[in-house]
Amino acid sequence: MCFEIDSRPPVPPIAGASADAEDLVLRSTDGTPFAAYSARSREPLGPAVVVMPDVRGLFRFYEELALRLAEHGYDAIAIDYFGRTAGVGKRGEEFSFAEHIARTRLGSLTQDVAAAVRELRAGAGAERRPVFTIGFCFGGSNSWLQAAAGHGLAGAIGFYGHPTRAGRDGSPAAIDRVGEFECPILALMGGDDPGIPPEEVARYEEALTAAGIEGEVRVYDGAPHSFFDRRYEEHAEASADAWARVLAFIETHA
């Protein structure tokens, strides 16, 4: 698990900015309804972002992150992973996410991302808008994998995803799919993350380079897994730099 239920992104609201937000129920490619949260900017048809949570699925951290993206002019939809096993209702701290994440499959997750991309590209003139994915931990590695899913993404961003670990469902690791990636990659990693050794991150960076994939891998020395959390004041500098890189990545590749 990346963030506690009361965690918040370390990104301050923009004074005077406005964004419309609402809970959604989207329908996946296979017909499954799943929960999502949409934040719309005041900038029509600009870049858009699909937000992919950690193993807990959709909760307030990711809703707030979608709002911060919308304040910067990027429509954003944060998705839930558990429409097939837990329904579409709001969940609290007691939600037993482990049993549901164990039943989540890359194929169904990819169909859910496709539905969010379709929603972001719906409407006159939006068909060609640049769409990015951004994910955290479980969502980080799966965000990178969406680069090989045929969504026509402009870029895929992952915070401390595991680049070399195969999926729980036996699906390949991100490093094994780099030859299929269709867009640039941004990886933002903690240098003091015992679950993702530095040599695994280095292997991923080398694989991206060897495959000719435009990518940036940034490792923050001393930062732990889940450093992007406003409660971690000692990692505020790393968080600020990571957020700046996210915004620059979107602007560069939009």
Side-chain angles (χ1 to χ4, degrees), residues 16-178:
S18 61
D20 295 325
E22 63 177 335
D23 294 316
L24 294 179
V25 175
L26 298 179
R27 194 164 293 276
S28 190
T29 306
D30 66 0
T32 301
F34 65 96
Y37 182 85
S38 172
R40 297 282 180 175
S41 76
R42 298 298 187 187
E43 299 294 330
L45 307 183
V49 185
V50 179
V51 179
M52 302 179 65
D54 62 63
V55 292
R56 195 193 296 275
L58 183 60
F59 69 100
R60 184 59 194 169
F61 182 99
Y62 299 102
E63 294 174 350
E64 186 170 324
L65 184 66
L67 283 168
R68 300 291 84 79
L69 286 163
E71 289 173 351
H72 279 274
Y74 313 134
D75 289 354
I77 293 179
I79 65 170
D80 184 54
Y81 303 127
F82 308 130
R84 292 163 185 81
T85 60
V88 298
K90 292 283 189 180
R91 310 182 190 110
E93 186 174 3
E94 73 287 350
F95 176 62
S96 180
F97 61 86
E99 63 186 84
H100 296 279
I101 202 71
R103 297 159 66 188
T104 301
R105 303 290 180 263
L106 175 61
S108 58
L109 182 155
T110 298
Q111 292 180 338
D112 296 348
V113 172
V117 172
R118 285 197 303 272
E119 180 71 14
L120 289 166
R121 287 182 173 148
E127 301 88 349
R128 296 181 179 274
R129 77 185 319 186
V131 176
F132 298 77
T133 55
I134 182 170
F136 297 77
C137 187
F138 174 81
S141 51
N142 278 291
S143 174
W144 297 326
L145 286 166
Q146 298 312 301
H151 302 308
L153 297 177
I157 304 163
F159 277 77
Y160 28 82
H162 203 301
T164 64
R165 180 185 296 159
R168 293 171 172 84
D169 60 349
S171 56
I175 196 171
D176 297 321
R177 300 287 303 276
V178 295

Side-chain angles (χ1 to χ4, degrees), residues 185-218:
I185 298 294
L186 176 60
L188 300 161
M189 315 295 288
D192 189 19
D193 185 342
I196 308 176
E199 56 269 24
E200 301 298 284
V201 179
R203 282 182 57 206
Y204 186 44
E205 185 171 20
E206 291 165 2
L208 291 169
T209 300
I213 303 301
E214 185 176 355
E216 178 185 355
V217 178
R218 177 72 171 91

